[in-house]
Amino acid sequence: AVRSVALAGGALLLVAFAGHAFARAGLWGTPALLQADSARNYPDGVNAHLLKARQAATEQRADGVAAELRVALERGYDRFEQLLSDPVYAPYRHHPEFEAVIRDMAARWIARISAVAEPTQAELYSLGLAHRVRGEKEAARAALERGIAMDGPYRELLRGELERL
């Protein structure tokens, strides 16, 4: 009798976990849903602050954009190139606080990639972008030229960035 009850309880628990996993699986297929879920469950986490920065941008609150991105940076976010390519942030690209956050994110990339003994072309591309964002043209040039000298699929991208420099 005890064994039957334990088996039935285990089966119910398994069905409950399977239902929960199935319900949550949809999140993993849609980045926006995953980010919103993360923000809901971790209101002081990176994704929550990124969503708050985006909301501030759509509300045309430059101070809120920079402040929320600064908190996201403090929590570990440093994808400056994504912010620079996102049209929602275009009006803020020359705002001093926004520029400062971007430069600080780029500095984190520089520190990370500079510690890699043999960076890939993609890493050298990111390193070049990070130096360019910080106004460090010679360091950017060196990283891009190093990437161009390597065999790989990023040569043209690196050359294009070097020309823009």
Side-chain angles (χ1 to χ4, degrees), residues 58 66 152:
T58 60

Side-chain angles (χ1 to χ4, degrees), residues 10-142:
L12 284 174
L13 194 57
L14 188 61
V15 167
F17 281 134
H20 181 71
F22 181 78
R24 306 252 329 136
L27 296 174
W28 294 98
T30 309
L33 289 177
L34 187 59
Q35 185 179 33
D37 185 70
S38 174
R40 190 173 31 260
N41 287 297
Y42 303 99
D44 199 31
V46 168
N47 285 317
H49 289 285
L50 290 174
L51 288 176
K52 290 175 188 175
R54 180 171 284 285
Q55 182 65 34
T58 60
E59 295 171 358
Q60 300 179 348
R61 293 184 296 109
D63 58 334
V65 171
E68 294 299 337
L69 290 176
R70 175 71 57 193
V71 177
L73 171 62
E74 291 167 2
R75 306 268 182 299
Y77 183 82
D78 60 7
R79 300 304 305 254
F80 69 93
E81 75 285 358
Q82 289 179 350
L83 299 174
L84 291 175
S85 66
D86 190 331
V88 77
Y89 297 113
Y92 308 100
R93 289 198 184 114
H94 299 293
H95 191 276
E97 285 84 11
F98 182 84
E99 287 179 333
V101 173
I102 295 298
R103 281 192 308 273
D104 291 346
M105 287 181 182
R108 187 172 288 172
W109 267 99
I110 291 167
R112 180 180 308 128
I113 296 171
S114 295
V116 175
E118 294 183 38
T120 65
Q121 271 189 325
E123 289 168 330
L124 289 167
Y125 175 74
S126 293
L127 183 60
L129 287 179
H131 280 299
R132 181 178 55 79
V133 164
R134 293 185 52 79
E136 302 162 351
K137 289 187 178 184
E138 288 310 310
R141 181 179 311 285

